[in-house]
Amino acid sequence: MRFSEAFIPTLKEAPSDATSISHKLMVRAGMIRQTAAGVYSYLPYGYNVIQKMKAIVREEMNRAGGQEFLLPALQPTDIWERTGRLEAYGQDVFRFDDRHGHEMLLGPTHEEVITSIVASDIRSWADLPKLFYQIQTKFRDEARPRFGVLRTREFTMKDLYSFDADEAGLDKSYQKMFEAYCRIFERVGVAYEPLATAETGAIGGSASHEFIVLADSGEDHLVKCPKCGFSALLGETVCVAPATEPNRAECELKIVSTPGMTRVEQVAGFLKTKPHRLIKTMILEKGDGGLLAALIRGDHELNMSKLMGSVDDWGLKLASAERIAEATGGPVGFSGPIGLSGITVLADLTLKGETSMVVGANKEDAHYVGCEVGRDFTPDSFCDLRKAVEGDLCPKCSETLKLEMGIEVGHIFKLGTRYSEKLGATFSDASGKENPVIMGCYGLGIERTVAAVIEQSHDERGIILPKSLAPYQAIILPMQAPEGELVQLGEKCYNLLKQAGVDVLLDDRNVWPGVKFADADLIGVPTQIVLGKRGLKEGRIEIVDRRTKEKTFLPIDVTADSLRDAVAG
RNA sequence: CGGGGCGUAGCGCAGUCCGGUAGCGCACCGGUUUUGGGAACCGGGGGUCGGCGGUUCAAGUCCGCCCGCCCCGACCA
């Protein structure tokens, strides 16, 4: 392609509302333009990168034995009612009635559709296992789209669904996908972490892994051990606080007035103490309607999934003001463990043996100071209830953990029989008995992965595309225009490379060298072929690696082979 | 959904407080020179100032309603 004929509208400045690096660079590089909040148009250069990404994913899915489908984005609402997921997705689903008044939706995902097909057309154990996938547009009316292409309302996702006859088969399918994902992320050159997770959100199921790409603009928090390499999602980390002596000072329990102080910082400031000397008492409503209290140090955050796990109740939610009053006799913001009766009280491990703590007094505008855990109240049990914080220790090797942020680019789940049961996807086993098919689902965000690559692979001049995603392997930059020896040489290199089957961009524009360099750097073509007077005089042409800026030289009488090899580098 | 901010040329912004001929930089078009890091000079085009309504002799500017976009939070892949 000739730059003069291509449509790569580069920008010197990024739109002011772009915040993440990938957003700024993708707009500046002429890859994307925004059409609405969380809705982007892909320009040819950007779309080409997306297509490369899809091709890699497709290859790896096929290698693992996947078969590709095309499924409708437009789906009838009733199959969603059968699985009960309309509730779970709630406001995130784009819904409307068609002209006949039938309720339709734009699919946020495709489990229902694919499982319906399997339900009607897979009948025997001999039909299993199967790996079915599709790479398609999904729609989710996100509460808050952000970070450019990282979180959008319309996006391309690869989803593969596995169908197995037994658990062992599911394990095998899961393992195949796990390996395929590793290959994919390696091929696009990102540093990633597969992290185990217990949370399965709206999809529901047992085991799962999130594939996270480390990046500052990520929305996922994780911890990483600089020593042994341990890493885990923040919410999944077993918390190990550094071994400090608890405060054993003698203290006297006293009630003090704290007018209007409901927030930890307010109370701490008012009483001239530190948040970690406070105990937060959170009242929760159980799935069966009962109440429960969870105690957390003031500077910590409650980890809902740990708490849910501790009490084996996945229907827990924060209690309403009315229920709090019912449990404690006081208003929201002044709850405390002292005198609480009739409900289970769980305390985080860090509170064990602490003295001189501040707790709510279960009445308006009052707190206790000088509270000693075990003397003034005794929780029913101590367990790990909090989210990890900077400074916590690695549960494997006790090194101090680092907090990092990352982008979730893939998520794989063992689903079990949840959907197959509801949608009647069963098969006859060898003994003739009907069993629900055992499922797994494996998602991967296409645009998000591309954005994540850019988040990781850029410099102050622009994007650095890996060869695997680059629409053009090389860009030829004749330092002269519109005519002359260098232009002739550029044409020659261009034709030779095309002959050699290399995707190449020739910057034939009549612009200043600085513009050519700047655009070449910005759009991230992996190899630059610089044709200048200097080189011409010395009888050589210059090959520059976009990433390393390293220069190599070729004799000026290039051939298709020598050029191709230099570009393949 | 709560809190905050913004909307003026393709992009980045000034002008709004205090009403009086709509500006700047980059980009764009024509010309001259020029080609190893976003060039210089000359000439030029481009705006329902987000929309609707109101106040006024006069509204980008004041008032009201609406729309859009961004940020923080809640929520979520």
Side-chain angles (χ1 to χ4, degrees):
Chain A
M1 177 68 80
R2 290 167 184 276
F3 211 127
S4 63
E5 291 168 5
F7 181 60
I8 309 177
T10 58
L11 262 30
K12 220 186 261 190
E13 288 173 286
S16 60
D17 52 21
T19 50
S20 69
I21 288 163
S22 60
H23 186 190
K24 287 180 188 162
L25 289 177
M26 289 174 84
V27 172
R28 286 192 52 212
M31 294 174 74
I32 57 170
R33 291 292 184 263
Q34 185 173 33
T35 297
V39 180
Y40 286 84
S41 299
Y42 286 79
L43 279 42
Y45 188 68
Y47 188 47
N48 201 324
V49 176
I50 296 296
Q51 295 287 54
K52 296 253 174 190
M53 185 69 224
K54 284 193 221 175
I56 289 170
V57 170
R58 183 172 283 123
E59 276 174 33
E60 294 303 332
M61 291 301 108
N62 291 342
R63 185 201 302 273
Q67 304 181 60
E68 188 169 7
F69 278 59
L70 178 68
L71 299 173
L74 186 61
Q75 301 174 16
T77 301
D78 60 1
I79 53 174
W80 283 75
E81 279 164 354
R82 284 207 271 161
T83 55
R85 285 214 301 172
L86 220 39
E87 279 273 299
Y89 273 98
Q91 294 274 95
D92 281 4
V93 183
F94 284 101
R95 303 177 61 177
F96 55 93
D97 294 342
D98 69 15
R99 67 196 300 166
H100 304 293
H102 296 143
E103 291 182 46
M104 306 295 286
L105 55 81
L106 292 176
T109 174
H110 287 82
E111 278 89 2
E112 277 75 5
V113 174
I114 195 87
T115 310
S116 301
I117 293 168
V118 167
S120 57
D121 293 300
I122 283 196
R123 303 193 177 85
S124 158
W125 61 273
D127 296 330
L128 300 172
K130 286 283 181 283
L131 300 176
F132 293 159
Y133 76 97
Q134 30 95 249
I135 302 174
Q136 286 178 242
T137 307
K138 316 259 171 167
F139 299 87
R140 297 187 193 171
D141 195 359
E142 279 294 328
R144 183 133 109 81
R146 61 182 131 180
F147 300 136
V149 142
L150 278 171
R151 180 167 218 85
T152 55
R153 298 194 293 170
E154 174 179 331
F155 58 99
T156 314
M157 187 153 120
K158 184 283 302 175
D159 250 332
L160 183 142
Y161 305 99
S162 66
F163 301 92
D164 281 283
D166 53 32
E167 288 291 333
L170 173 60
D171 289 347
K172 220 183 215 171
S173 297
Y174 192 85
Q175 189 56 30
K176 271 186 192 165
M177 281 302 113
F178 191 98
E179 283 161 17
Y181 274 45
C182 294
R183 293 183 66 102
I184 290 165
F185 298 124
E186 271 149 32
R187 285 181 67 176
V188 298
V190 277
Y192 67 99
E193 303 268 352
L195 301 179
T197 165
E199 279 188 84
T200 49
I203 296 180
S206 55
S208 92
H209 281 85
E210 285 190 17
F211 284 79
I212 304 278
V213 169
L214 294 181
D216 289 337
S217 60
E219 298 175 277
D220 283 27
H221 295 260
L222 59 142
V223 294
K224 211 169 150 46
C225 174
K227 194 168 151 200
C228 74
F230 167 84
S231 59
L233 289 167
L234 188 63
E236 305 292 334
T237 311
V238 174
C239 294
V240 182
T244 52
E245 275 299 297
N247 186 350
R248 301 255 184 237
E250 291 281 310
C251 60
E252 187 191 342
L253 187 68
K254 276 192 301 197
I255 196 161
V256 296
S257 169
T258 50
M261 307 287 164
T262 58
R263 303 191 58 83
V264 166
E265 307 82 58
Q266 293 175 331
V267 178
F270 184 73
L271 297 174
K272 303 209 168 20
T273 182
K274 292 279 165 18
H276 73 265
R277 307 268 18 117
L278 268 64
I279 297 176
K280 283 193 282 199
T281 303
M282 314 189 61
I283 308 295
L284 297 116
E285 187 172 337
K286 295 193 278 190
D288 64 9
L291 294 169
L292 170 79
L295 309 183
I296 295 286
R297 218 168 73 185
D299 58 333
H300 288 152
E301 265 187 90
L302 176 66
N303 183 329
M304 270 302 252
S305 51
K306 281 185 186 172
L307 180 61
M308 289 176 181
S310 303
V311 297
D312 194 25
D313 181 342
W314 301 88
L316 277 185
K317 58 179 190 206
L318 287 174
S320 62
E322 294 77 47
R323 303 293 324 260
I324 290 174
E326 177 193 321
T328 68
V332 181
F334 297 96
S335 300
I338 298 177
L340 264 193
S341 62
I343 68 172
T344 308
V345 178
L346 297 181
D348 185 67
L349 291 169
T350 48
L351 297 175
K352 208 166 193 168
E354 284 291 335
T355 68
S356 295
M357 300 299 279
V358 176
V359 300
N362 292 328
K363 61 181 166 184
E364 185 134 33
D365 300 342
H367 280 79
Y368 283 111
V369 297
C371 172
E372 179 174 337
V373 180
R375 179 192 71 182
D376 302 316
F377 71 93
T378 308
D380 293 286
S381 68
F382 289 95
C383 35
D384 179 20
L385 296 179
R386 66 186 176 92
K387 289 185 184 165
V389 293
E390 187 93 44
D392 277 346
L393 303 182
C394 175
K396 288 259 160 61
C397 74
S398 298
E399 180 73 16
T400 302
L401 290 170
K402 282 227 141 340
L403 247 46
E404 306 267 11
M405 303 222 271
I407 300 162
E408 179 187 350
V409 288
H411 203 159
I412 61 179
F413 298 87
K414 288 185 182 175
L415 289 178
T417 57
R418 184 187 156 137
Y419 297 97
S420 48
E421 275 173 25
K422 291 200 165 116
L423 294 166
T426 60
F427 68 99
S428 305
D429 66 17
S431 67
K433 194 174 146 247
E434 287 282 305
N435 292 309
V437 176
I438 299 176
M439 294 176 58
C441 80
Y442 314 86
L444 190 151
I446 299 292
E447 294 92 345
R448 185 182 272 193
T449 302
V450 169
V453 167
I454 293 170
E455 291 285 335
Q456 268 193 4
S457 183
H458 65 270
D459 61 16
E460 66 290 345
R461 297 177 183 279
I463 297 169
I464 303 172
L465 284 176
K467 289 190 168 82
S468 56
L469 291 180
Y472 305 104
Q473 297 305 305
I475 181 167
I476 301 167
L477 305 172
M479 293 295 105
Q480 189 184 41
E483 53 196 18
E485 277 177 288
L486 293 175
V487 173
Q488 293 309 313
L489 183 56
E491 293 286 341
K492 182 183 163 194
C493 293
Y494 180 56
N495 288 322
L496 287 173
L497 277 168
K498 281 205 299 187
Q499 236 175 68
V502 176
D503 288 319
V504 57
L505 192 57
L506 171 66
D507 196 344
D508 58 339
R509 295 174 300 172
N510 182 13
V511 294
W512 279 68
V515 176
K516 293 187 179 182
F517 283 124
D519 278 344
D521 288 341
L522 178 60
I523 68 175
V525 182
T527 302
Q528 300 172 355
I529 299 173
V530 182
L531 308 176
K533 269 196 199 137
R534 267 195 326 241
L536 193 63
K537 212 177 290 170
E538 294 162 13
R540 58 189 198 171
I541 65 178
E542 193 177 310
I543 312 289
V544 184
D545 183 286
R546 168 67 182 92
R547 190 181 296 276
T548 63
K549 287 280 152 197
E550 244 166 37
K551 292 178 185 178
T552 51
F553 298 91
L554 280 184
I556 209 151
D557 51 343
V558 285
T559 62
D561 286 348
S562 68
L563 270 173
R564 187 193 54 218
D565 293 348
V567 169

